[in-house]
Amino acid sequence: MSVIVQKFGGTSVADLDRIRNAALRTKAEYDRGNDVAVVVSAMAGTTNQLVQWTGEAAALHDTREYDAVVSTGEQVTAGLLAIILQEMGVSARSWLGWQLPIHTDSSHGSARILDIDVQALRQRFGERQVAVIAGFQGLSAENRITTLGRGGSDTSAVALAAALNADRCDIFTDVDGIYTSDPRIVTKARKLEKITYEEMLESASLGAKVLQTRSVELAMNYGVRLQVLSSFSETPGTLVVDEDEIVEKEIVSGIAYSRDEAKITLRRVADRPGVAAAVFGPLADANINVDMIVQNISQSDQSTDLTFTVTRSHLDRAVAVLEKARPEVGYEKLKADEDVTKVSVIGVGMRSHAGVAQRMFATLAERGINIQVISTSEIKVSVLIEEEYTELALRALHTAYGLDNE
Ligand code: ADP
Ligand code: ASP
Ligand code: MG
Protein backbone atom coordinates (compact mmCIF):
# COMPACT_ATOMS: atom_id res chain seq x y z
CA MET A 1 0.00 0.00 0.00
CA SER A 2 1.31 3.42 -0.98
CA VAL A 3 0.58 7.05 -0.18
CA ILE A 4 -0.21 8.93 -3.39
CA VAL A 5 -0.71 12.67 -3.85
CA GLN A 6 -2.57 13.71 -6.99
CA LYS A 7 -3.00 17.27 -8.24
CA PHE A 8 -5.53 18.39 -10.83
CA GLY A 9 -4.96 21.75 -12.56
CA GLY A 10 -7.60 24.21 -13.73
CA THR A 11 -8.38 22.63 -17.11
CA SER A 12 -8.68 19.21 -15.47
CA VAL A 13 -11.49 20.48 -13.20
CA ALA A 14 -12.99 23.03 -15.61
CA ASP A 15 -16.54 21.63 -15.36
CA LEU A 16 -18.49 18.82 -13.66
CA ASP A 17 -17.69 16.27 -16.38
CA ARG A 18 -13.98 16.92 -15.96
CA ILE A 19 -14.25 16.76 -12.18
CA ARG A 20 -15.94 13.35 -12.65
CA ASN A 21 -13.05 12.31 -14.87
CA ALA A 22 -10.59 13.43 -12.18
CA ALA A 23 -12.60 11.56 -9.55
CA LEU A 24 -12.23 8.36 -11.58
CA ARG A 25 -8.43 8.76 -11.52
CA THR A 26 -8.60 9.17 -7.75
CA LYS A 27 -10.96 6.23 -7.33
CA ALA A 28 -8.59 4.02 -9.34
CA GLU A 29 -5.75 4.71 -6.88
CA TYR A 30 -8.10 4.28 -3.92
CA ASP A 31 -9.39 0.95 -5.26
CA ARG A 32 -5.78 -0.28 -5.47
CA GLY A 33 -5.73 0.08 -1.69
CA ASN A 34 -3.64 3.27 -1.64
CA ASP A 35 -4.01 6.25 0.67
CA VAL A 36 -4.87 9.19 -1.56
CA ALA A 37 -4.65 12.96 -1.00
CA VAL A 38 -5.93 15.04 -3.93
CA VAL A 39 -5.03 18.69 -4.40
CA VAL A 40 -7.27 20.73 -6.69
CA SER A 41 -6.94 24.05 -8.51
CA ALA A 42 -9.83 26.39 -9.23
CA MET A 43 -11.87 25.77 -12.40
CA ALA A 44 -10.01 27.11 -15.46
CA GLY A 45 -10.41 30.89 -15.76
CA THR A 46 -11.82 31.37 -12.26
CA THR A 47 -8.66 32.69 -10.61
CA ASN A 48 -8.08 35.14 -13.49
CA GLN A 49 -11.58 36.49 -12.99
CA LEU A 50 -11.08 36.84 -9.22
CA VAL A 51 -7.73 38.59 -9.70
CA GLN A 52 -9.34 40.97 -12.20
CA TRP A 53 -12.12 41.87 -9.78
CA THR A 54 -9.69 42.78 -7.01
CA GLY A 55 -7.84 45.04 -9.46
CA GLU A 56 -11.06 46.69 -10.61
CA ALA A 57 -12.21 47.20 -7.02
CA ALA A 58 -9.04 49.19 -6.31
CA ALA A 59 -5.77 49.31 -8.26
CA LEU A 60 -3.77 49.40 -5.03
CA HIS A 61 -5.52 47.07 -2.60
CA ASP A 62 -4.93 45.29 0.71
CA THR A 63 -3.17 42.05 -0.27
CA ARG A 64 -4.78 40.23 2.67
CA GLU A 65 -8.16 40.87 1.08
CA TYR A 66 -6.77 39.92 -2.35
CA ASP A 67 -5.98 36.53 -0.83
CA ALA A 68 -9.42 36.29 0.79
CA VAL A 69 -10.91 36.71 -2.70
CA VAL A 70 -8.58 34.75 -4.99
CA SER A 71 -8.37 31.69 -2.73
CA THR A 72 -12.10 30.99 -3.11
CA GLY A 73 -11.93 29.20 -6.47
CA GLU A 74 -10.23 26.19 -4.91
CA GLN A 75 -12.90 25.88 -2.20
CA VAL A 76 -15.54 25.23 -4.87
CA THR A 77 -13.61 22.49 -6.69
CA ALA A 78 -12.53 20.78 -3.44
CA GLY A 79 -16.16 20.54 -2.30
CA LEU A 80 -17.39 19.38 -5.71
CA LEU A 81 -14.73 16.69 -6.04
CA ALA A 82 -15.56 15.40 -2.54
CA ILE A 83 -19.28 15.26 -3.42
CA ILE A 84 -18.58 13.40 -6.67
CA LEU A 85 -16.26 10.90 -4.95
CA GLN A 86 -18.92 10.25 -2.31
CA GLU A 87 -21.45 9.73 -5.11
CA MET A 88 -19.08 7.08 -6.54
CA GLY A 89 -19.06 5.30 -3.19
CA VAL A 90 -15.62 6.59 -2.12
CA SER A 91 -15.39 8.05 1.38
CA ALA A 92 -13.99 11.57 0.96
CA ARG A 93 -14.00 15.02 2.54
CA SER A 94 -12.67 18.43 1.58
CA TRP A 95 -10.00 20.34 3.52
CA LEU A 96 -9.29 24.05 3.22
CA GLY A 97 -5.84 25.44 4.01
CA TRP A 98 -6.89 26.70 7.45
CA GLN A 99 -8.53 23.41 8.40
CA LEU A 100 -5.38 21.27 8.33
CA PRO A 101 -3.73 23.79 8.67
CA ILE A 102 -1.15 24.57 5.98
CA HIS A 103 1.03 27.16 7.74
CA THR A 104 2.64 29.81 5.55
CA ASP A 105 4.53 33.03 6.06
CA SER A 106 2.65 36.32 5.72
CA SER A 107 3.76 37.35 2.20
CA HIS A 108 0.24 37.70 0.88
CA GLY A 109 -0.08 36.87 -2.80
CA SER A 110 3.14 34.84 -2.86
CA ALA A 111 3.34 33.14 0.53
CA ARG A 112 5.72 30.27 1.25
CA ILE A 113 4.60 27.11 3.00
CA LEU A 114 6.29 26.65 6.37
CA ASP A 115 4.76 23.36 7.40
CA ILE A 116 1.68 21.21 7.00
CA ASP A 117 -0.07 19.41 9.82
CA VAL A 118 -0.93 16.00 8.35
CA GLN A 119 -2.08 14.33 11.56
CA ALA A 120 -5.78 14.56 10.68
CA LEU A 121 -5.13 13.24 7.18
CA ARG A 122 -3.26 10.22 8.47
CA GLN A 123 -6.10 9.43 10.84
CA ARG A 124 -8.62 9.61 7.98
CA PHE A 125 -6.39 7.43 5.80
CA GLY A 126 -6.69 4.87 8.60
CA GLU A 127 -10.46 5.07 8.11
CA ARG A 128 -10.02 4.62 4.33
CA GLN A 129 -11.02 8.18 3.53
CA VAL A 130 -9.70 10.24 0.61
CA ALA A 131 -8.56 13.77 1.46
CA VAL A 132 -9.48 16.48 -1.06
CA ILE A 133 -7.38 19.56 -0.41
CA ALA A 134 -7.87 23.07 -1.76
CA GLY A 135 -4.59 24.01 -3.45
CA PHE A 136 -2.97 27.45 -3.64
CA GLN A 137 -3.93 28.50 -0.09
CA GLY A 138 -2.64 28.49 3.46
CA LEU A 139 -2.87 30.22 6.80
CA SER A 140 -0.54 32.89 8.22
CA ALA A 141 0.54 33.24 11.85
CA GLU A 142 -1.86 36.21 11.99
CA ASN A 143 -4.71 33.80 11.24
CA ARG A 144 -5.30 35.19 7.74
CA ILE A 145 -5.78 33.20 4.52
CA THR A 146 -2.75 33.39 2.23
CA THR A 147 -2.15 32.34 -1.38
CA LEU A 148 1.04 30.91 -2.84
CA GLY A 149 1.43 32.85 -6.10
CA ARG A 150 -0.05 31.97 -9.50
CA GLY A 151 0.27 28.29 -10.32
CA GLY A 152 0.69 27.61 -6.60
CA SER A 153 -1.40 24.43 -6.41
CA ASP A 154 1.63 22.55 -7.76
CA THR A 155 3.49 23.69 -4.67
CA SER A 156 0.61 22.70 -2.37
CA ALA A 157 0.76 19.19 -3.85
CA VAL A 158 4.53 18.77 -3.58
CA ALA A 159 4.63 20.17 -0.05
CA LEU A 160 1.89 17.78 0.93
CA ALA A 161 3.72 14.86 -0.68
CA ALA A 162 6.84 15.80 1.31
CA ALA A 163 4.88 16.12 4.57
CA LEU A 164 3.15 12.77 4.01
CA ASN A 165 6.35 11.15 2.79
CA ALA A 166 4.29 10.08 -0.23
CA ASP A 167 5.47 7.42 -2.66
CA ARG A 168 4.47 9.58 -5.67
CA CYS A 169 3.17 13.02 -6.52
CA ASP A 170 1.22 13.01 -9.80
CA ILE A 171 0.55 16.39 -11.39
CA PHE A 172 -2.36 16.00 -13.82
CA THR A 173 -2.60 18.74 -16.42
CA ASP A 174 -3.67 19.47 -20.01
CA VAL A 175 -0.48 18.17 -21.67
CA ASP A 176 0.82 14.61 -21.31
CA GLY A 177 4.21 15.52 -19.89
CA ILE A 178 7.11 17.93 -19.94
CA TYR A 179 8.31 18.76 -23.43
CA THR A 180 11.53 20.18 -24.85
CA SER A 181 9.59 23.44 -25.30
CA ASP A 182 6.01 24.65 -24.86
CA PRO A 183 4.12 22.22 -27.15
CA ARG A 184 1.46 24.86 -27.79
CA ILE A 185 3.99 26.99 -29.65
CA VAL A 186 6.63 24.56 -30.85
CA THR A 187 4.63 21.87 -32.59
CA LYS A 188 7.77 19.77 -33.08
CA ALA A 189 8.49 19.74 -29.33
CA ARG A 190 9.41 16.31 -28.02
CA LYS A 191 8.06 14.75 -24.83
CA LEU A 192 10.76 13.89 -22.31
CA GLU A 193 10.63 10.60 -20.47
CA LYS A 194 12.67 12.12 -17.64
CA ILE A 195 14.06 15.52 -16.76
CA THR A 196 16.42 16.45 -13.89
CA TYR A 197 15.19 18.55 -10.98
CA GLU A 198 17.83 21.11 -11.86
CA GLU A 199 16.78 21.47 -15.48
CA MET A 200 13.10 21.64 -14.56
CA LEU A 201 13.88 24.23 -11.88
CA GLU A 202 15.72 26.35 -14.41
CA SER A 203 12.97 25.91 -17.06
CA ALA A 204 10.21 26.80 -14.59
CA SER A 205 12.00 29.89 -13.37
CA LEU A 206 12.63 30.91 -16.98
CA GLY A 207 8.95 30.73 -17.87
CA ALA A 208 7.86 27.09 -18.49
CA LYS A 209 4.75 27.30 -16.37
CA VAL A 210 3.98 23.58 -16.53
CA LEU A 211 5.22 23.46 -12.89
CA GLN A 212 5.47 26.34 -10.45
CA THR A 213 9.16 27.01 -9.68
CA ARG A 214 8.75 26.63 -5.93
CA SER A 215 7.19 23.17 -6.38
CA VAL A 216 10.29 21.91 -8.20
CA GLU A 217 12.55 23.41 -5.55
CA LEU A 218 10.62 21.58 -2.83
CA ALA A 219 10.57 18.31 -4.78
CA MET A 220 14.34 18.53 -5.22
CA ASN A 221 15.01 19.33 -1.57
CA TYR A 222 12.73 16.62 -0.21
CA GLY A 223 13.33 14.00 -2.90
CA VAL A 224 9.65 13.88 -3.91
CA ARG A 225 9.02 11.59 -6.90
CA LEU A 226 7.23 13.96 -9.20
CA GLN A 227 5.39 13.02 -12.37
CA VAL A 228 3.62 15.33 -14.85
CA LEU A 229 0.90 13.62 -16.88
CA SER A 230 -2.38 14.22 -18.68
CA SER A 231 -5.70 13.84 -16.94
CA PHE A 232 -7.27 13.08 -20.33
CA SER A 233 -5.15 10.14 -21.47
CA GLU A 234 -3.56 7.03 -20.03
CA THR A 235 -0.09 7.60 -21.49
CA PRO A 236 2.80 7.70 -19.02
CA GLY A 237 3.98 11.20 -18.22
CA THR A 238 7.39 12.74 -17.51
CA LEU A 239 9.33 11.96 -14.33
CA VAL A 240 11.37 14.66 -12.63
CA VAL A 241 14.43 12.89 -11.20
CA ASP A 242 17.97 13.24 -9.88
CA GLU A 243 20.72 13.78 -12.43
CA ASP A 244 22.24 10.33 -11.82
CA GLU A 245 18.99 8.65 -12.90
CA ILE A 246 19.46 9.94 -16.44
CA VAL A 247 21.87 7.86 -18.45
CA GLU A 248 21.99 9.75 -21.74
CA LYS A 249 22.34 13.41 -20.95
CA GLU A 250 21.52 15.85 -23.69
CA ILE A 251 23.57 19.01 -23.94
CA VAL A 252 20.42 21.05 -24.33
CA SER A 253 17.22 19.64 -22.82
CA GLY A 254 14.85 22.47 -23.47
CA ILE A 255 13.97 25.95 -24.64
CA ALA A 256 11.80 28.19 -22.49
CA TYR A 257 10.37 31.65 -22.91
CA SER A 258 8.86 34.30 -20.70
CA ARG A 259 6.71 37.23 -21.70
CA ASP A 260 6.77 38.37 -18.13
CA GLU A 261 9.70 40.77 -18.62
CA ALA A 262 9.95 44.47 -19.32
CA LYS A 263 13.06 46.39 -20.30
CA ILE A 264 14.25 49.67 -18.86
CA THR A 265 17.08 51.71 -20.39
CA LEU A 266 18.68 54.65 -18.62
CA ARG A 267 20.42 56.89 -21.17
CA ARG A 268 23.66 58.71 -20.42
CA VAL A 269 24.21 57.64 -16.87
CA ALA A 270 27.39 59.10 -15.30
CA ASP A 271 30.16 56.49 -15.54
CA ARG A 272 31.45 56.64 -11.96
CA PRO A 273 31.63 54.35 -8.93
CA GLY A 274 28.40 54.02 -6.96
CA VAL A 275 26.03 54.52 -9.88
CA ALA A 276 24.84 50.91 -10.04
CA ALA A 277 24.12 51.04 -6.32
CA ALA A 278 22.17 54.29 -6.77
CA VAL A 279 20.01 52.64 -9.46
CA PHE A 280 19.48 49.15 -8.05
CA GLY A 281 19.36 50.05 -4.35
CA PRO A 282 16.01 51.88 -4.51
CA LEU A 283 14.56 49.15 -6.75
CA ALA A 284 15.54 46.48 -4.23
CA ASP A 285 14.09 48.58 -1.40
CA ALA A 286 10.81 48.68 -3.34
CA ASN A 287 10.87 44.86 -3.68
CA ILE A 288 11.32 45.03 -7.44
CA ASN A 289 13.32 42.15 -8.88
CA VAL A 290 15.90 43.01 -11.48
CA ASP A 291 16.80 40.14 -13.77
CA MET A 292 19.09 40.77 -16.76
CA ILE A 293 21.53 43.68 -16.75
CA VAL A 294 23.80 45.15 -19.43
CA GLN A 295 25.93 48.26 -19.32
CA ASN A 296 26.96 49.64 -22.68
CA ILE A 297 30.50 50.73 -23.43
CA SER A 298 31.42 54.05 -21.96
CA GLN A 299 31.14 56.93 -24.38
CA SER A 300 33.86 59.54 -24.62
CA ASP A 301 32.06 61.91 -22.29
CA GLN A 302 32.23 59.50 -19.36
CA SER A 303 28.58 58.48 -19.60
CA THR A 304 27.07 55.11 -20.29
CA ASP A 305 23.71 53.47 -21.09
CA LEU A 306 22.33 51.03 -18.52
CA THR A 307 19.73 48.47 -19.62
CA PHE A 308 18.00 45.92 -17.39
CA THR A 309 14.78 43.95 -17.07
CA VAL A 310 12.12 43.80 -14.35
CA THR A 311 8.96 41.72 -13.98
CA ARG A 312 6.36 43.25 -16.31
CA SER A 313 3.81 43.75 -13.56
CA HIS A 314 6.42 45.80 -11.64
CA LEU A 315 7.25 48.11 -14.54
CA ASP A 316 5.10 51.08 -13.51
CA ARG A 317 6.41 50.93 -9.97
CA ALA A 318 10.01 50.62 -11.19
CA VAL A 319 9.64 53.69 -13.42
CA ALA A 320 8.19 55.69 -10.51
CA VAL A 321 11.06 54.64 -8.23
CA LEU A 322 13.70 55.54 -10.85
CA GLU A 323 12.14 58.92 -11.60
CA LYS A 324 12.32 59.70 -7.91
CA ALA A 325 15.96 58.58 -7.77
CA ARG A 326 16.92 60.65 -10.83
CA PRO A 327 18.69 63.45 -8.91
CA GLU A 328 21.07 60.94 -7.26
CA VAL A 329 21.60 58.79 -10.36
CA GLY A 330 21.78 61.64 -12.84
CA TYR A 331 20.60 59.95 -16.06
CA GLU A 332 19.42 61.90 -19.08
CA LYS A 333 16.43 59.83 -20.18
CA LEU A 334 14.47 56.74 -19.14
CA LYS A 335 12.99 54.41 -21.74
CA ALA A 336 10.59 51.56 -20.84
CA ASP A 337 9.72 48.74 -23.26
CA GLU A 338 7.17 46.00 -22.66
CA ASP A 339 7.40 44.41 -26.12
CA VAL A 340 10.14 41.97 -25.17
CA THR A 341 10.46 38.23 -24.52
CA LYS A 342 13.19 36.34 -22.74
CA VAL A 343 14.16 33.15 -24.57
CA SER A 344 16.38 30.63 -22.78
CA VAL A 345 18.27 27.51 -23.77
CA ILE A 346 18.70 25.06 -20.86
CA GLY A 347 20.76 21.92 -20.28
CA VAL A 348 23.05 20.38 -17.66
CA GLY A 349 25.31 19.20 -20.49
CA MET A 350 26.37 22.83 -21.02
CA ARG A 351 28.73 22.47 -18.09
CA SER A 352 31.00 20.28 -20.18
CA HIS A 353 30.30 21.51 -23.73
CA ALA A 354 31.42 24.74 -25.32
CA GLY A 355 29.64 26.48 -28.18
CA VAL A 356 26.07 26.33 -26.93
CA ALA A 357 25.73 30.11 -26.62
CA GLN A 358 27.43 30.68 -29.96
CA ARG A 359 24.92 28.43 -31.72
CA MET A 360 22.09 30.42 -30.15
CA PHE A 361 23.50 33.75 -31.30
CA ALA A 362 24.20 32.47 -34.82
CA THR A 363 20.73 30.96 -35.17
CA LEU A 364 19.02 34.18 -34.14
CA ALA A 365 21.30 36.24 -36.38
CA GLU A 366 20.43 34.07 -39.40
CA ARG A 367 16.75 34.90 -38.80
CA GLY A 368 17.53 38.61 -38.42
CA ILE A 369 16.50 38.61 -34.76
CA ASN A 370 18.33 41.21 -32.72
CA ILE A 371 19.59 40.28 -29.25
CA GLN A 372 19.01 43.10 -26.77
CA VAL A 373 20.40 41.66 -23.53
CA ILE A 374 22.19 38.40 -22.67
CA SER A 375 22.55 36.57 -19.37
CA THR A 376 24.06 33.19 -18.62
CA SER A 377 24.48 30.68 -15.82
CA GLU A 378 26.16 27.30 -15.63
CA ILE A 379 23.25 25.51 -17.28
CA LYS A 380 21.43 28.17 -19.33
CA VAL A 381 21.79 31.03 -21.77
CA SER A 382 19.04 33.66 -21.92
CA VAL A 383 18.53 36.43 -24.43
CA LEU A 384 16.03 39.24 -24.61
CA ILE A 385 14.42 39.78 -28.01
CA GLU A 386 11.55 41.73 -29.52
CA GLU A 387 8.27 40.06 -28.55
CA GLU A 388 6.97 39.63 -32.10
CA TYR A 389 9.83 37.20 -32.89
CA THR A 390 9.08 34.85 -29.97
CA GLU A 391 7.61 31.99 -31.96
CA LEU A 392 10.12 32.24 -34.78
CA ALA A 393 13.00 32.23 -32.29
CA LEU A 394 11.68 29.26 -30.32
CA ARG A 395 11.14 27.13 -33.41
CA ALA A 396 14.47 28.05 -34.98
CA LEU A 397 16.40 27.27 -31.81
CA HIS A 398 14.50 24.04 -31.29
CA THR A 399 15.62 22.89 -34.73
CA ALA A 400 19.18 24.22 -34.34
CA TYR A 401 19.79 22.16 -31.19
CA GLY A 402 18.44 19.00 -32.84
CA LEU A 403 15.42 18.77 -30.53
CA ASP A 404 12.72 18.45 -33.21
CA ASN A 405 10.47 15.45 -33.11
CA GLU A 406 11.00 13.67 -36.43
P1 ADP B 1 -2.56 23.55 -14.94
O1 ADP B 1 -3.76 24.42 -15.02
O2 ADP B 1 -2.88 22.09 -15.09
O3 ADP B 1 -1.69 23.83 -13.75
P2 ADP B 1 -0.77 25.09 -16.61
O4 ADP B 1 -1.44 25.88 -17.68
O5 ADP B 1 -0.33 25.80 -15.39
O6 ADP B 1 -1.71 23.86 -16.25
O7 ADP B 1 0.51 24.32 -17.21
C1 ADP B 1 0.37 23.52 -18.37
C2 ADP B 1 0.81 24.31 -19.60
O8 ADP B 1 2.21 24.58 -19.53
C3 ADP B 1 0.65 23.59 -20.91
O9 ADP B 1 -0.65 23.74 -21.42
C4 ADP B 1 1.73 24.22 -21.80
O10 ADP B 1 1.18 25.17 -22.69
C5 ADP B 1 2.64 24.95 -20.83
N1 ADP B 1 4.05 24.63 -21.00
C6 ADP B 1 5.06 25.55 -21.08
N2 ADP B 1 6.24 24.96 -21.27
C7 ADP B 1 6.01 23.62 -21.28
C8 ADP B 1 6.85 22.48 -21.43
N3 ADP B 1 8.16 22.59 -21.58
N4 ADP B 1 6.28 21.25 -21.41
C9 ADP B 1 4.95 21.12 -21.24
N5 ADP B 1 4.10 22.16 -21.10
C10 ADP B 1 4.61 23.41 -21.12
N1 ASP C 1 -5.81 28.65 -9.27
C1 ASP C 1 -4.48 29.18 -9.04
C2 ASP C 1 -3.98 29.91 -10.29
O1 ASP C 1 -4.66 29.94 -11.28
C3 ASP C 1 -3.50 28.14 -8.59
C4 ASP C 1 -3.22 27.04 -9.59
O2 ASP C 1 -4.02 26.80 -10.49
O3 ASP C 1 -2.18 26.39 -9.44
O4 ASP C 1 -2.93 30.49 -10.26
MG1 MG D 1 -0.31 25.38 -13.34
Side-chain angles (χ1 to χ4, degrees), residues 64 73 143 376:
R64 291 165 299 193
N143 212 26
T376 63

Coordinates of all heavy atoms in Angstrom, one line a residue, residues 64 73 143 376:
R64 N -4.1 41.2 1.8 CA -4.8 40.2 2.7 C -6.2 40.0 2.1 O -6.7 38.8 2.1 CB -4.9 40.7 4.1 CG -3.5 40.7 4.8 CD -3.5 41.5 6.1 NE -3.9 42.9 5.8 CZ -3.8 43.9 6.7 NH1 -3.3 43.7 7.9 NH2 -4.1 45.1 6.4
G73 N -11.7 30.1 -5.4 CA -11.9 29.2 -6.5 C -11.7 27.8 -6.1 O -12.4 26.8 -6.5
N143 N -3.4 34.4 11.4 CA -4.7 33.8 11.2 C -5.4 34.3 10.0 O -6.7 34.4 10.0 CB -5.6 34.0 12.5 CG -6.5 32.9 12.7 OD1 -6.3 31.8 12.3 ND2 -7.7 33.2 13.4
T376 N 23.7 34.6 -18.6 CA 24.1 33.2 -18.6 C 24.2 32.7 -17.2 O 24.5 33.4 -16.3 CB 25.4 32.9 -19.4 OG1 26.4 33.6 -18.6 CG2 25.4 33.4 -20.8

